[in-house]
Amino acid sequence: MNLQVTTEDHEGWTVLFVAGEVDFAVVPELGEHVRRAVAQGRHQLILELTRVVFLDSTGIGALVGARRLLRSCSGELRLVMPESTDHHVNRVFTALGLRRLFDVHPTLDEALADEDSTGAVAAG
């Protein structure tokens, strides 16, 4: 399954809907979507990952890179992924302890509604 990314604006946030496999072959494409949004002045970004079926270490690196980029321009990054242990990305995040680094929400509505985002630590 190839990477698919669509972009929509919601309530002041830019949402990138990511679907497919996020691996070494498509990470540059995902990074380009994030950089393009930031270059356009969109510093409130949500990556909607509920339809990502596979995430490897380069995909994790891309998410960490997106987080750093947004932080460098005083922006904010939120992730949307189900809390289900059946969801691959959630299992990877939980196993590696990555949830504490990101502001993670189970639904897009909850990510948009979060007015006091405190889900991510300040490091990095």
Side-chain angles (χ1 to χ4, degrees), residues 30-76:
L30 178 59
E32 181 57 31
H33 282 279
V34 171
R35 287 187 296 279
R36 187 177 314 126
V38 171
Q40 294 171 348
R42 298 170 170 181
H43 297 164
Q44 302 293 106
L45 199 64
I46 296 174
L47 296 179
E48 207 283 5
L49 305 173
T50 58
R51 295 186 332 154
V52 171
V53 296
F54 179 78
L55 178 77
D56 72 2
S57 60
T58 59
I60 292 167
L63 296 178
V64 171
R67 178 180 177 268
R68 284 189 182 134
L69 176 61
L70 269 298
R71 291 176 65 84
S72 74
C73 61
S74 299
E76 188 174 353

Side-chain angles (χ1 to χ4, degrees), residues 56-124:
D56 72 2
S57 60
T58 59
I60 292 167
L63 296 178
V64 171
R67 178 180 177 268
R68 284 189 182 134
L69 176 61
L70 269 298
R71 291 176 65 84
S72 74
C73 61
S74 299
E76 188 174 353
L77 175 67
R78 295 179 181 174
L79 303 181
V80 174
M81 71 177 80
E83 294 175 335
S84 167
T85 57
D86 292 338
H87 189 257
H88 174 76
V89 178
N90 184 44
R91 283 195 319 265
V92 170
F93 264 61
T94 300
L96 297 176
L98 293 172
R99 293 183 74 88
R100 65 179 179 81
L101 292 179
F102 291 91
D103 186 7
V104 181
H105 298 268
T107 67
L108 179 58
D109 287 341
E110 289 183 47
L112 291 168
D114 184 4
E115 304 234 355
D116 183 33
S117 176
T118 57
V121 296

